[in-house]
Amino acid sequence: MTARTFQATNPATGQPLAPAFPVTTPQEMEALVAAARGAARAFAASTPTQRADFLNAAAAAIEARADAFVEAAMAEAGLPEPRLRGEVGRTANQLRLFAGVAADGSWVDARIDHADPARKPPKPDVRSLRVPLGPVAVFGASNFPLAFSVAGGDTASALAAGCPVVVKAHPAHPATSKLAAEAIRAAAQQCGLPAGVFGIVYEDGHELGVQLVQHPDIHAVGFTGSRAGGLALVAAAQAREVPIPVYAEMSSVNPSVFTAAALEANGAALAKGLAASISGSGGQLCTQPGLLFVPVGEAGDAFLNDVAAKLDATPACTLLTGGILNAFQKGAAGHLKAAGVQPLTQGAKPDSGAQPQLLSVPIAQFTPELADEVFGPLSVAVRYDRLEEVTPLLAGLEGQLTATLHATDAELDGLADLLHVMGTRAGRLVLNGFPTGVEVGHAMVHGGPFPATSDGGASTSVGSRAITRFARLRAYQDFPDRALPPELQEANPYGIWRLVDGERTR
């Protein structure tokens, strides 16, 4: 029987793209998971250097395919070449970041409490560390065909932890996904690792993805996408006989508060930066500032008029898929029907496609529905009279990935309550900047209270702390040294930082 196939669609033209990709069969997916299960023990026992070499080789393989990546992703995602060139670099840098984390090895948080038999009662020898969970399922994201997809941060952090990965490729960019899969497989082969450390599933629907999450040999899930998609995977994971964690980064409108003093001091520069942040990448970034709090008065009026003019001068955006475009148009139309909402941009009308849009509403007429995410280049400006009005409204928002404050230095001491509320609502606070552009580093937090993330902000999907999502704690009591993992042995053969009898040491 001929395998069923599907094709990606060019979002700019609406035309199908060659070649056609065979849909993975349930039997093929079962074989991929079985291979991951078979590789899990050996991969978990690999040394920090071995994992680091693998991730560095994968980074080099990604860079070697840069031209092919850009060509495929431009056709499949409609994103411009400079953005995709940058994404190739970001993807390689993420892999190298986690190579460094793996090589250092200290992420396992090894702790040793030596025995004291003379104590009453006697104190046992207890040692603990983080250990890999086992095979992990990762779902590719639509808005980052490289950096949050097959070879993205979820995959990099899981591999660094010693977990085999089975990726569900996003159906919108199978050719880009295939290139990334080839790069990772080539790196695994180069480093002498079993093929089961990485597998990929292709499907134009959702059935196989749900089956993957519910497979008893999958132990965690990484996902970036819509709230509906993330919650569906959470439900599937919780319906298992043994539930597993789903680390889903879902929806956020990333509120930004502007004070009158900040606008008076720097309004023109803020308007330029905000317009770029709203419309960059077609507004299809999870940190896009979709909700603005702007004071009434001349400074606020001039600021919003400047932002609107810049958005009107921005060409209409090609969104990632036809479904995303339809959802954007529907969401924009719904916001425009709300009481008190006025369009500030010329394109702010239901049939304007992906033309960037800026809407305005008085704070007295703001409703929670206006804080619903409209994925794309749209922001709602809430006009306030007194800053004290903003704090309770922020406190009533859902969880967010980011919250931004634009204020002068002289105002900061008087805004402690506002900043406190922002901190309860978001995983990352930004001062006098813009939330788009997530730095990949050790200190970054890309997570937040539900529904920004499904785990309520207990973890991050960007930065070196992401590795802890795919590990669990294990303790050893009264084991002989030779039977302990290397990280817990007295000689510390990997030379990692450890907490020994309460003191941090190497």
Side-chain angles (χ1 to χ4, degrees), residues 161-200:
C163 297
V165 172
V166 180
V167 172
K168 165 67 163 56
H170 195 282
H173 37 74
T176 310
S177 298
K178 183 173 182 288
L179 286 166
E182 290 171 349
I184 297 175
R185 283 174 170 156
Q189 185 176 19
Q190 175 185 331
C191 295
L193 295 174
V197 299
F198 177 82
I200 186 166

Side-chain angles (χ1 to χ4, degrees), residues 18-35:
F21 284 80
V23 173
T24 303
T25 66
Q27 295 77 17
E28 289 170 335
M29 189 183 77
E30 181 66 37
L32 290 172
V33 177

Side-chain angles (χ1 to χ4, degrees), residues 83 106 124 181 253 274 337 339 366 382 456:
R83 149 69 196 270
S106 301
V253 293
L274 179 61
K337 292 177 183 176
F366 177 81
V382 181

Side-chain angles (χ1 to χ4, degrees), residues 373-471:
E373 181 184 38
V374 177
F375 190 65
L378 181 146
S379 285
V380 177
V382 181
R383 306 299 304 274
Y384 68 87
D385 290 294
R386 295 175 297 106
L387 203 53
E388 291 78 9
E389 298 175 290
V390 176
T391 302
L393 198 153
L394 283 173
L397 292 180
E398 294 183 322
Q400 307 291 327
L401 292 170
T402 74
T404 298
L405 173 62
H406 289 274
T408 65
D409 185 70
E411 294 179 291
L412 284 181
D413 291 342
L415 298 177
D417 289 344
L418 178 66
L419 285 168
H420 170 74
V421 169
M422 283 183 165
T424 68
R425 296 294 82 210
R428 175 166 58 108
L429 304 184
V430 180
L431 180 64
N432 293 330
F434 301 97
T436 44
V438 182
E439 178 66 27
V440 180
H442 296 290
M444 180 51 65
V445 172
H446 190 63
F450 183 90
T453 52
S454 59
D455 69 335
S459 68
T460 176
S461 63
V462 177
S464 59
R465 285 194 187 104
I467 194 173
T468 62
R469 297 174 299 165
F470 304 117

Side-chain angles (χ1 to χ4, degrees), residues 144 175 228:
F144 280 87

